[in-house]
Amino acid sequence: MTKAVRAPLLSTLVTSVLLTACGGEPQAPIPAETDASLTGITAPRGATQRRFVPGQAIVKLKPTNKARSPEAVPSIQGYTTAHLQALPGGASLVSLAWEPSLAASSVAQEEALTLAAIDALRLDPDVEYAHENLYFQLFATPSDPLYPQQWNYPAMGLPQAWDTVTGNVTIAVLDTGRLDHPDLMGRWTTGYDFGDGDANPYDTGTWHHGLHVAGILAARTNNGVGGAGVCWGCQLMPLKISTSSGTIDMAAVNAAIRYAADNGARVINMSFGTGYNPNAPSQVYPCSSFPDTQNAVNYALSKGVVLVAAAGNDGAVGHQAANVTPASCTGVIAVGASTQSGGMAAWSTRGSRVDVIAPGGLASASLYGQGIGCPADPTLDPYVSGTDQILSAWATGKPSTVLVPGDYCHRYLSGTSMSSPHVAGIAALMLSQKPSMTPAQVAARITSTATAVPSCAGNCGTGRVNAAAAIYTNLPARPTQGLWWNPARSGNAIDIQHVASDQLYLTWFTYTSAGVPIWYISSLQAQPGEWRGDLTRTTWSGSGATTSVVGTTRIVLSGGQYRYHWTLGGLSGNEPIQPFVFGSGAPAMNLTGAWYNPLESGWGVTFASQGTLHVANITVYQGSTPTWLQGVVNSSGTSLSFPVNYITGTNLCPGCAGTPSVASSAAGTFTVSGSGGAPSVMPASSSLSFPGGSWYRPSLSLQRLTGP
């Protein structure tokens, strides 16, 4: 059969299989890939993507009088089994190769096939037991020599949080600048000196406050040096806001906030603020009096940046956090200090504006605690006392230009300056897991999961921050991108696209009760155990679309099988779904993903490319009502003309019963002209006519929204 004849047959075949599933046996489910490549989404630090060795099992045969080789392995239909290694106790390590092999299989496919083979082995009467060859993971308690002295981390549940996430985002440190302490090597990104107005963000003073804060935020861990940082997988952006003489002005701070937001920071830590003046106790400095600072904060919030600030250390005189800037700025998480006993430090600034408290030390004798490995420092030593403060990176009192390796050490310090980076680090851990979270969502989760401190009398917000409760556990793996379907039910297809590691874009192609094609969209967020979001419908005005919520959508993975759950009006339902496989090999031009016309948003095309086959589902409108059409083309080229069909059917709608039927009619053409690989922009045109509407667009530019 020539290619010219074969192409329309393939078009008919794909349309029939995807949308009607008439006749034939349902395919076995092929689970989607598990994406654990991003720290904090599905895998703890150092973990492999796989839970167990694919294609292997540990098997022990029952004792028998039968004559058999010590290397005997039971056979399994559809697999090639082989003895790999004898194990102590009489078991064997066995290989399980699926026939045929999956050359480009996903992790979940490999795991599913391995588990299926193990289930078959367990049914063999000669097998005593069979199970996976599990991967083990190191638990996340740091091995750093000074970690046992960092009482502050167990006090806020960090070891439990670290078993799930260790961070991967950038935290901006607005402080005295960076230093090359051994515990922070490799943690610094590029930054800027807003205090002195140059591109060198190194600490030029002798009071290395920013170094201690940075060590709490992200000190390297399990490196044999010093202690641990809260978000030890995070990077630090050094934004020096102090001048060489040690002063900090508001203009520098406001500029640094905006710089951090524009240059990739997801969290900003601000361990500073306006203080109490005993000579003028009535003078207060709430953020509401300084709109330029609030504007800078608003700008960062609009960019998705979480801002955390110290509440201050003037609680002994009754100073209120509502009068401290930047802690009192709207949208900033204001942090007071807790002690080793879990209560609020008496010296911590207090009041209803405090959101949470976090370890800041007791400072029973001094703000400055003992040093570990620190050289003599005559300017500091007379004031040093205690080990009940917060231990972090330190350096002797010299400018960075004259510091030598022996000047770097670790020291105990107290203050809400130390409390703030604990909360900023937790925020960074959360954003590493769920980067789509807004600053308001991060703040709400941190405050709602805090441990109540009844003795605070309303002065410490919702209580002591709890990292173990704030981070997310059991977040779901991402299903593969592309078309999904239920082979046992005709008429419906689902296109799933990745927006972020914690966000999916879903298009549901289905039918009304009258058998007319209709589509819905959902933005799904990763939640414990499932993907969840609203089901929405768009309405066309003639030049644009409006969206309304009409139900809910969930995708749940259980026992290796994904299920699609929906509610729509008063109806609800769920069904198993699996990736739709209609071609093989890598496409010369991979269009897989969602595309739109930025000059006329509200409609678009979802493409799926496998081998030389391309499927286009075109989401347009019949008047104001959403409808969809489908085209399939078989080509290895980069200029494609899709013959488009308008497909209707009975008993295909959500909640419909009865025998389904499908009818298809030609509706015109849709053309695109791209390039090899995965193009991001394509010229396109449509000439579509269907009952109740038409969609003529002689020239447009399609831009990729998601994928491949």
Side-chain angles (χ1 to χ4, degrees), residues 540-703:
W540 186 249
S541 67
S543 59
T546 57
T547 301
S548 58
V549 175
V550 293
T552 61
T553 299
R554 296 189 300 132
I555 295 179
V556 181
L557 175 63
S558 178
Q561 173 66 65
Y562 281 97
R563 297 192 73 89
Y564 178 62
H565 297 249
W566 55 268
T567 65
L568 179 58
L571 300 174
S572 64
N574 72 87
E575 60 185 312
I577 57 171
Q578 64 185 60
F580 179 61
V581 179
F582 55 85
S584 61
M589 181 170 65
N590 190 353
L591 302 180
T592 298
W595 297 70
Y596 77 112
N597 176 8
L599 298 180
E600 195 180 41
S601 60
W603 71 277
V605 187
T606 62
F607 291 102
S609 298
Q610 297 178 17
T612 59
L613 281 172
H614 306 273
V615 177
N617 287 329
I618 307 165
T619 53
V620 292
Y621 299 87
Q622 289 172 318
S624 62
T625 302
T627 194
W628 57 269
L629 305 94
Q630 186 182 85
V632 181
V633 67
N634 181 26
S635 173
S636 58
T638 56
S639 294
L640 307 176
S641 180
F642 290 84
V644 176
N645 289 289
Y646 178 74
I647 304 161
T648 59
T650 58
N651 298 320
L652 298 176
C653 64
C656 283
T659 303
S661 64
V662 173
S664 177
S665 59
T669 58
F670 191 87
T671 63
V672 296
S673 180
S675 58
S680 58
V681 180
M682 294 187 299
S685 66
S686 71
S687 179
L688 304 176
S689 180
F690 45 90
S694 62
W695 207 260
Y696 294 105
R697 300 295 186 273
S699 177
L700 62 108
S701 176
L702 279 181
Q703 291 191 16

Side-chain angles (χ1 to χ4, degrees), residues 204-240:
T204 53
T206 59
W207 167 238
H208 304 306
H209 180 273
L211 175 61
H212 199 272
V213 168
I216 297 170
L217 284 168
R220 294 175 61 201
T221 303
N222 300 315
N223 62 336
V225 176
V230 174
C231 190
W232 77 55
C234 285
Q235 293 292 106
L236 300 176
M237 179 187 294
L239 300 182
K240 181 172 173 285

Side-chain angles (χ1 to χ4, degrees), residues 147-505:
Y147 175 73
Q149 292 161 257
Q150 293 181 301
W151 60 266
N152 40 315
Y153 295 152
M156 52 191 276
L158 262 178
Q160 297 93 320
W162 285 331
D163 281 338
T164 300
V165 58
T166 57
N168 62 15
V169 301
T170 298
I171 307 171
V173 191
L174 276 61
D175 220 293
T176 59
R178 68 169 284 182
L179 287 174
D180 293 332
H181 192 286
D183 228 0
L184 288 161
M185 296 300 290
R187 285 290 172 263
W188 298 108
T189 68
T190 57
Y192 195 82
D193 182 351
F194 290 91
D196 294 317
D198 58 59
N200 180 5
Y202 273 82
D203 188 340
T204 53
T206 59
W207 167 238
H208 304 306
H209 180 273
L211 175 61
H212 199 272
V213 168
I216 297 170
L217 284 168
R220 294 175 61 201
T221 303
N222 300 315
N223 62 336
V225 176
V230 174
C231 190
W232 77 55
C234 285
Q235 293 292 106
L236 300 176
M237 179 187 294
L239 300 182
K240 181 172 173 285
I241 54 171
S242 58
T243 64
S244 297
S245 60
T247 61
I248 299 173
D249 65 54
M250 183 171 282
V253 169
N254 298 349
I257 290 172
R258 291 178 177 273
Y259 179 96
D262 286 336
N263 288 275
R266 291 304 314 271
V267 180
I268 295 173
N269 184 77
M270 299 179 288
S271 289
F272 55 85
T274 54
Y276 172 79
N277 184 353
N279 297 319
S282 63
Q283 292 182 1
V284 293
Y285 306 96
C287 188
S288 57
S289 298
F290 306 98
D292 193 61
T293 298
Q294 184 64 64
N295 288 344
V297 167
N298 292 345
Y299 181 78
L301 292 170
S302 73
K303 295 272 190 172
V305 181
V306 175
L307 298 97
V308 184
N313 304 330
D314 296 312
V317 293
H319 200 47
Q320 298 290 299
N323 294 321
V324 177
T325 296
S328 63
C329 293
T330 301
V332 172
I333 302 174
V335 186
S338 64
T339 67
Q340 272 186 299
S341 63
M344 191 174 193
W347 45 262
S348 174
T349 299
R350 54 199 57 240
S352 59
R353 183 58 189 88
V354 174
D355 291 303
V356 288
I357 58 174
L362 184 57
S364 56
S366 171
L367 170 69
Y368 311 106
Q370 293 181 9
I372 298 178
C374 295
D377 190 343
T379 62
L380 190 62
D381 289 344
Y383 309 102
V384 167
S385 176
T387 58
D388 52 6
Q389 302 96 331
I390 306 301
L391 182 63
S392 184
W394 191 248
T396 194
K398 300 177 183 178
S400 61
T401 53
V402 295
L403 285 172
V404 298
D407 291 324
Y408 291 111
C409 60
H410 291 76
R411 184 174 293 283
Y412 291 92
L413 289 182
S414 277
T416 57
S417 283
M418 286 62 254
S419 305
S420 180
H422 285 84
V423 176
I426 292 173
L429 292 176
M430 294 166 59
L431 288 169
S432 298
Q433 293 186 295
K434 289 173 62 63
S436 297
M437 291 185 79
T438 66
Q441 289 171 333
V442 171
R445 183 153 181 98
I446 287 174
T447 54
S448 67
T449 57
T451 302
V453 182
S455 61
C456 279
N459 285 303
C460 60
T462 56
R464 187 176 67 254
V465 71
N466 185 335
I471 62 99
Y472 290 84
T473 57
N474 190 33
L475 288 179
R478 287 193 301 183
T480 52
Q481 297 197 97
L483 289 170
W484 289 65
W485 69 318
N486 175 7
R489 193 170 85 87
S490 2
N492 290 254
I494 296 168
D495 184 82
I496 297 175
Q497 297 297 322
H498 299 166
V499 178
S501 57
D502 67 326
Q503 188 176 15
L504 303 177
Y505 180 82

